[in-house]
Amino acid sequence: MSEKPVVLMPEDIQRVMGKDAQRNNILAARMVSEVVKTTLGPKGMDKMLVSPTGDIIVTNDGVTILEEIQIEHPAAKMMVEIARTQESEVGDGTTSSVMIAGKLLENAEKLLDSKIHPTLITKGYRMAAEKAQQILNEISLKISPDDDDVLKQVAMTAMTGKGAEDSREKFADIIIRAVKQIGDFHSSESTQSFERKQVQKNWKVDLDDIKIEKAKGDSVEKTELISGIVLDKEKVSNEMPEKIEGAKIALIDFPLEIKNPEIETKISISSPEQLQNFLSQEEKVIKDMVEKVAESGANVIFCQKGIDDFAQYLLSRKKIYACRRVAKSDLEKISKATGAKIVSNLGELKDVDLGKSEVVEEIKQGEDNMTYIRGCSNPKAVTILIRGGSEHVIDEIERAIKDGLGDVASSLKTGLVVPGGGAIEIELSKRLKHFGQSLGGREQLAVEEFASALEFIPLTLAENAGMDPIDVLTELKSKHNAGDMNAGLNLFENKVDNVLNAKIIEPYKIKSQAIASATEVAIMILRIDDVIASADSKSGKMNYAGSKGYQGMD
Ligand code: ADP
Ligand code: MG
């Protein structure tokens, strides 16, 4: 046998094992939760994020904050992933989901301290999560698509404290009209509002059908819902008509120009005639293109690429309205709205590929000219045009409106809502603790820790509103123990209240998704007992900072 030492990994590999790895990951995950915690709820604070280039975002939107702060730690990155999933699945509840995951890990640490093996903890957490979903489904409230009142409350709850404060009611109205217009609610079964039943509907709402456009320079209250598509684009030439009635729309994804405007070196030109010849050849190509467009019968063109001066001139002469550099995603929306086909080859452009709308017109909005496509053949096309005095305001309003849209859509998709202000969390927690007692053994401890993690939501809502969190929690628990399932925090008046009466209502899906992804990530992090990080090949920096970066923060 040789005496050589065994070399398993190269020297620059950093390895953290066992308890250290676990504690370090938990700490990093908890820190992520700490970052967003102060923004929770209507009385939460905002964060100002400054990018390396000096761009500023002021927001209290969980996922926006986490996306912007460039997190490095691998376990912390897993937490950010929860927020992303929450955002894509529901569109709201990002802060809550990250906080629950953080608390699940913090509570798991207590169990680790009393020498309970991670496997037992994860097993208990899994049981608790499953039970929580079941309870949640049982105690959710059923709504029907024409419950406009309830839907409005859902939208308003989503937007409370989001900088949209003064116009909340108006925005809620816009959101509901928009979602109603694009949704497909085929169920005819009529139900009583707020009946507690274990049914889920499958109403269809695709928020991609709602276009959001922003115009700077007017007040926030001028935000409006427009039937049709609004594009932040002006026509390419002043000579073109301002307004086209009976629009026949061509969508093209190639340029109306010669690829290389400079004369390529390959062509050797030795006389002025030759140059003239060459130029007129170029002109002919453009002329042919425009001729093809006109032949198809189109009087409006939206082009994904450029349109050169000569093409603009020819189009104007033919009284065709044209916009260039229209985003691919916008072309797709126009296609859906007007029935136009996006064509890549002018030779193929035919009358049947054209989309139809009653009007295409250029309208001045604040500082910019925009193109309105109204009376589309597909009545489902809608645009929310957000107005505001500055980009920061408009962006924060956009996030608030998106939260509202997400919440209304997801309430309609499942047909289920829950009381907000921490009421549902307290009720779930109470019932889970009860369930835990039926288990006995060490799993019981894990189930109980899971249950108390949910209390972190009302506790933080109270804390962020300057109320005494312990008093509030005690009062909430005693009300729920006395059978008041809807007791929660009313932060319009800073008191414990029946939150349904206070109109604080959220979609069921926010809660079920948050519990599912928080549990999943907490379990994943708990199961890691070894972190092996390779050095970054370029900078020589470790991909993983190990325990050093986080020391002293416990
Ligand atoms: P998230 O990113 O998790 O959606 P928010 O900052 O939007 O975080 O806060 C959502 C929480 O605020 C929910 O628990 C919701 O019930 C609560 N909430 C919203 N409006 C009120 C209100 N008026 N009173 C009490 N709680 C409210
Ligand atoms: Mg929210």
Side-chain angles (χ1 to χ4, degrees):
M1 285 275 280
S2 128
E3 292 291 305
K4 268 192 189 164
V6 179
V7 180
L8 195 59
M9 290 178 265
E11 258 176 35
D12 56 358
I13 291 276
Q14 188 170 342
R15 185 164 183 198
V16 187
M17 279 188 288
K19 233 175 134 185
D20 281 348
Q22 215 156 38
R23 296 302 165 112
N24 182 265
N25 283 336
I26 290 175
L27 182 56
R30 278 177 50 194
M31 285 171 68
V32 173
S33 152
E34 289 292 321
V35 168
V36 292
K37 180 185 152 187
T38 58
T39 69
L40 183 78
K43 300 284 169 74
M45 303 295 275
D46 293 345
K47 300 219 179 262
M48 180 184 262
L49 309 167
V50 185
S51 79
T53 55
D55 289 337
I56 292 170
I57 300 178
V58 177
T59 186
N60 69 18
D61 186 53
V63 74
T64 309
I65 296 166
L66 295 176
E67 292 283 5
E68 294 293 325
I69 58 178
Q70 299 178 9
I71 283 174
E72 288 276 343
H73 194 287
K77 279 186 172 164
M78 289 163 79
M79 297 284 282
V80 179
E81 210 46 53
I82 306 179
R84 283 203 193 111
T85 312
Q86 186 78 20
E87 180 75 4
S88 67
E89 292 289 319
V90 192
D92 192 15
T94 53
T95 312
S96 311
S97 57
V98 167
M99 282 174 56
I100 292 175
K103 202 65 176 180
L104 284 175
L105 286 165
E106 187 182 330
N107 291 358
E109 210 169 18
K110 283 192 238 159
L111 299 173
L112 290 171
D113 284 343
S114 39
K115 304 272 179 294
I116 297 182
H117 195 270
T119 321
L120 274 173
I121 304 174
T122 54
K123 186 176 167 213
Y125 273 11
R126 213 168 254 133
M127 288 164 82
E130 216 170 279
K131 187 72 187 172
Q133 295 290 4
Q134 187 200 327
I135 300 170
L136 187 60
N137 206 300
E138 276 165 21
I139 62 179
S140 289
L141 306 160
K142 199 173 176 184
I143 58 160
S144 91
D146 33 57
D147 266 337
D148 280 13
D149 246 12
V150 179
L151 292 174
K152 200 163 169 180
Q153 293 168 22
V154 168
M156 304 247 288
T157 302
M159 291 186 291
T160 312
K162 301 275 175 202
E165 217 52 33
D166 303 332
S167 312
R168 234 164 31 108
E169 186 135 12
K170 178 170 183 176
F171 292 164
D173 195 57
I174 288 176
I175 287 167
I176 285 150
R177 280 192 289 136
V179 171
K180 286 274 174 91
Q181 198 164 338
I182 59 142
D184 177 9
F185 312 107
H186 51 269
S187 162
S188 55
E189 184 197 350
S190 81
T191 50
Q192 201 95 43
S193 253
F194 287 164
E195 215 178 316
R196 283 198 152 99
K197 250 195 204 169
Q198 203 175 335
V199 208
Q200 287 201 25
K201 284 281 167 321
N202 250 326
W203 292 312
K204 287 196 192 73
V205 185
D206 184 359
L207 288 181
D208 280 343
D209 289 342
I210 299 176
K211 180 161 161 47
I212 295 189
E213 196 56 80
K214 301 180 265 189
K216 206 168 97 183
D218 220 327
S219 77
V220 167
E221 298 94 72
K222 294 274 171 63
T223 296
E224 62 178 326
L225 178 69
I226 292 155
S227 228
I229 304 273
V230 179
L231 279 183
D232 186 9
K233 286 282 164 196
E234 53 185 8
K235 54 190 166 67
V236 283
S237 155
N238 274 332
E239 308 302 315
M240 290 175 173
E242 296 277 324
K243 182 174 182 179
I244 303 271
E245 297 198 32
K248 292 175 119 188
I249 302 164
L251 304 179
I252 58 176
D253 63 1
F254 56 90
L256 281 182
E257 60 195 6
I258 300 292
K259 277 223 176 70
N260 304 306
E262 314 94 59
I263 298 162
E264 288 271 346
T265 43
K266 268 187 203 148
I267 315 160
S268 59
I269 288 168
S270 51
S271 73
E273 291 78 40
Q274 251 178 338
L275 179 64
Q276 190 53 47
N277 221 339
F278 174 75
L279 288 178
S280 52
Q281 234 170 12
E282 273 206 333
E283 282 186 356
K284 190 171 173 314
V285 174
I286 297 278
K287 240 183 187 151
D288 281 353
M289 284 179 164
V290 173
E291 212 53 59
K292 288 237 170 64
V293 172
E295 265 169 33
S296 73
N299 50 17
V300 176
I301 298 186
F302 295 114
C303 176
Q304 195 187 329
K305 304 277 169 56
I307 301 179
D308 76 10
D309 290 352
F310 185 55
Q312 292 178 21
Y313 164 76
L314 294 174
L315 289 166
S316 308
R317 286 225 333 216
K318 292 196 180 293
K319 303 255 173 292
I320 293 175
Y321 184 113
C323 296
R324 66 178 162 188
R325 310 215 182 279
V326 178
K328 175 98 182 165
S329 58
D330 285 343
L331 283 191
E332 280 160 4
K333 286 207 168 76
I334 302 171
S335 162
K336 213 168 166 185
T338 66
K341 202 177 125 193
I342 302 174
V343 285
S344 313
N345 180 347
L346 265 187
E348 285 174 6
L349 185 64
K350 284 190 223 68
D351 180 55
V352 290
D353 300 327
L354 302 178
K356 293 190 181 58
S357 82
E358 282 161 24
V359 185
V360 170
E361 122 181 80
E362 186 182 85
I363 295 179
K364 195 165 167 61
Q365 284 302 340
E367 296 165 7
D368 303 311
N369 286 325
M370 295 198 163
T371 296
Y372 280 56
I373 308 166
R374 278 190 292 218
C376 299
S377 55
N378 177 358
K380 291 201 166 182
V382 294
T383 302
I384 297 178
L385 182 61
I386 302 176
R387 293 195 172 88
S390 81
E391 248 157 68
H392 299 152
V393 171
I394 296 179
D395 287 351
E396 187 64 350
I397 300 259
E398 179 185 14
R399 284 188 284 271
I401 289 187
K402 280 187 172 162
D403 283 354
L405 281 170
D407 282 9
V408 170
S410 85
S411 301
L412 281 171
K413 277 191 215 163
T414 59
L416 296 172
V417 294
V418 297
I424 192 77
E425 284 85 358
I426 295 286
E427 186 65 23
L428 273 176
S429 172
K430 177 190 114 181
R431 294 186 185 217
L432 276 177
K433 281 181 184 161
H434 192 75
F435 165 70
Q437 282 157 11
S438 72
L439 291 175
R442 296 197 154 184
E443 283 96 2
Q444 174 179 350
L445 297 176
V447 172
E448 273 169 10
E449 290 302 342
F450 189 104
S452 40
L454 298 175
E455 293 168 359
F456 192 37
I457 300 296
L459 193 89
T460 308
L461 285 172
E463 196 172 312
N464 288 350
M467 297 168 79
D468 185 311
I470 303 300
D471 286 353
V472 167
L473 204 58
T474 313
E475 190 178 347
L476 281 174
K477 281 185 184 170
S478 82
K479 288 223 158 142
H480 279 256
N481 284 334
D484 184 358
M485 284 165 68
N486 302 323
L489 260 176
N490 171 354
L491 293 180
F492 297 120
E493 298 174 24
N494 276 22
K495 64 173 188 190
V496 169
D497 201 356
N498 178 323
V499 286
L500 289 188
N501 293 343
K503 308 185 173 185
I504 304 162
I505 299 173
E506 295 183 279
Y508 150 88
K509 185 75 203 268
I510 283 197
K511 308 299 173 185
S512 69
Q513 182 65 47
I515 290 173
S517 26
T519 312
E520 197 179 296
V521 167
I523 287 178
M524 204 185 274
I525 291 179
L526 281 172
R527 287 169 54 94
I528 298 168
D529 77 337
D530 194 353
V531 177
I532 305 163
S534 58
D536 186 42
S537 54
K538 272 190 219 127
S539 65
K541 237 176 46 188
M542 292 296 169
N543 281 327
Y544 170 53
S547 54
K548 283 186 198 113
Y550 297 89
Q551 256 171 19
M553 307 215 55
D554 204 342

